[in-house]
Amino acid sequence: MTISGVSLPSSRGPSVATRLALLLTVLLLLASTVAIYAAYSYGRAAADETYDQLLTGAALQISERISVSNRQFEADIPLSAFELLALAKDDRIFYRIFDSTGETVTGYDDFPLPPAGREKGNRPVTYETNYAGAPVRAVMLTRYLAEKGVSGPVRIIVAHTTEARTALARSIARRAMLLVVLAGVAVIFLAILAMRLALRPLDRIERAIIARDPLDLSPFTSTTPREVEALVGSINRFMERLSRRVHALQDFVADAAHQMRTPITAIRAQAELAVEEDDPERLKMLVRRIRARAIGVGRLTDQLLSHALVTHRSDTAVLAPLDLRRVALEAEREFRSISFQQNSSIDLDLPEEEVWMTGDAFSLKEAIKNLIANAYAHGKPPVGVAVLQKDGKAIVKVTDQGGGFSAADPSEIGKRFARNENKPESAGLGLAIVREVLVSHNGDIITGTDATGFWIGMRFDVVRNEEAVS
């Protein structure tokens, strides 16, 4: 697949419709299995109930033909008792009639009796057992006789093998299975059709992305269902971040090209003059100018890269609780190690108590170093760095003995490339970096004057000690 000349990976996972169809198929298979098992169980129960009634009817007919003759039981078994049971040609019929002593009057004298405790008065007892190598289902009926010389219970057992019952249950299950399969196929077809219709908004989003110009990073504004609002929102947030990155990169390239061209041209021109100069004094002057311009180019390059890195970290760095005193101390040490002001003293005023805030240590150190560099570039030594906590705010400020900003200057604080024409080595990006850090930390810039001179600083929200520890 290619979008605007860019090849995308060809490997693709299954579509949402396919996933839903597979899931629905699995659920229908499970439901069908349960339904078929339930249909078989219902069919077997219905078959048992039907044939049990036939067995009970046969036992009642036999019971009515029991009589007493010469003080002995006699059983005249009618053929009609087994006519309905005989309709199941593959099944066999068994019967047994015995008295209270267990003596068989007629029938299969070894036919198993029901389990102990199953008899409940005169009610028929239904039970399952095995006889003659086959499973059978039997009904035992009790009749009480009270004739002259003969009294007591007479029990009649009528049994039937279960092949017809099983066949009937399977027939019911097969029919139910056929209906379930047909219904399942219809449901799957309708569900896939419904999913296709429901997922059309995703197709529109895909076509919109493919049709977009690569430079168009504006958010999607088309109407989408609630279910995909989160997806569209994520795409829009990603495009917003990408747009910021692209614009930042474009600004960096444009700024670097614009700002580096002039000092490099000046260095080359003065170097050419120095090559042709014979006067030692004038040659020394040209070398000093080249040195000043080189310092400016180095400062500008460092701050351009620092500004780009701070801008990048504003979107990616994870803010964490930190002690602002430690950040200020590390910033002062790093500044002295890499700056040409190594021999100058920087007064540190740090409180004994910790000053906690939430931030990115690297970006904050870059901001503090640029405030210090700005004080040296535009103010007068001595320069000091102070950290304090006041009114629920964490504050770091840098002081110097210069005049500070004029009345019109505060609104211009942080403007990019605001150079001091009297200091060509000034890159003019220091406060722009500070402003970028403040924006990503929800802080603000503050200025003022006191007994120590002019000061400029950054103010942030304080984090409570228990939040910082956790």
Side-chain angles (χ1 to χ4, degrees), residues 55 82 92-96 108 111 131-132 134 136 157-161:
L55 290 173
F82 303 120
R92 290 172 289 171
I93 302 171
F94 308 98
Y95 68 95
R96 178 183 180 185
Y108 297 85
F111 193 89
Y131 184 71
V136 296
I157 297 177
V158 180
H160 195 232
T161 54

Side-chain angles (χ1 to χ4, degrees), residues 82-331:
F82 303 120
E83 285 180 352
L84 293 178
L85 292 174
L87 293 177
K89 298 179 179 180
D90 295 330
D91 281 318
R92 290 172 289 171
I93 302 171
F94 308 98
Y95 68 95
R96 178 183 180 185
I97 301 172
F98 59 97
D99 58 18
S100 59
T101 63
E103 182 180 353
T104 301
V105 176
T106 182
Y108 297 85
D109 57 359
D110 60 343
F111 193 89
L113 301 179
R118 294 289 300 274
E119 293 188 51
K120 295 181 180 179
N122 293 331
R123 298 178 60 183
V125 177
T126 304
Y127 63 99
E128 293 182 357
T129 184
N130 285 287
Y131 184 71
V136 296
R137 190 171 176 88
V139 169
M140 187 180 76
L141 187 66
T142 302
R143 178 183 174 183
Y144 288 89
L145 296 178
E147 300 289 341
K148 184 179 180 181
V150 177
S151 63
V154 177
R155 293 176 174 83
I156 303 98
I157 297 177
V158 180
H160 195 232
T161 54
T162 59
E163 292 183 10
R165 302 165 185 257
T166 303
L168 179 59
R170 288 175 179 173
S171 176
I172 295 175
R174 281 194 297 268
R175 294 178 183 179
M177 181 172 62
L178 179 61
L179 293 176
V180 168
V181 169
L182 292 177
V185 171
V187 168
I188 291 176
F189 175 77
L190 294 176
I192 292 176
L193 180 61
M195 284 185 292
R196 291 292 184 185
L197 295 176
L199 294 175
R200 279 186 177 179
L202 295 180
D203 294 334
R204 291 200 300 268
I205 294 174
E206 179 184 7
R207 289 194 298 269
I209 293 176
I210 294 175
R212 272 204 168 198
D213 188 281
L215 299 179
D216 183 6
L217 299 177
S218 59
F220 288 103
T221 57
S222 58
T223 303
T224 56
R226 285 195 301 257
E227 289 77 7
V228 297
E229 283 181 356
L231 172 63
V232 176
S234 299
I235 293 175
N236 286 338
R237 287 191 296 271
F238 171 76
M239 294 182 70
E240 182 182 357
R241 292 178 57 191
L242 183 60
S243 178
R244 289 200 304 268
R245 295 288 181 86
V246 171
H247 286 122
L249 179 61
Q250 292 173 341
D251 290 343
F252 173 78
V253 173
D255 291 340
H258 175 72
Q259 295 299 322
M260 298 293 288
R261 184 181 295 112
T262 300
I264 290 177
T265 302
I267 290 176
R268 186 175 62 183
Q270 291 170 359
E272 290 176 354
L273 291 174
V275 170
E276 298 176 357
E277 186 59 55
D278 295 329
D279 185 357
E281 293 298 326
R282 184 165 178 78
L283 181 59
K284 185 180 295 186
M285 179 188 66
L286 290 172
V287 171
R288 283 196 297 268
R289 289 181 179 177
I290 293 173
R291 176 182 177 274
R293 290 291 184 181
I295 292 174
V297 170
R299 180 76 54 79
L300 176 59
T301 303
D302 180 67
Q303 291 190 328
L304 278 172
L305 296 175
S306 178
H307 187 270
L309 185 56
V310 167
T311 301
H312 169 73
R313 293 182 68 88
S314 65
D315 280 340
T316 59
V318 178
L319 305 185
L322 48 83
D323 185 1
L324 192 56
R325 301 176 309 163
R326 181 177 297 276
V327 175
L329 181 62
E330 292 177 357

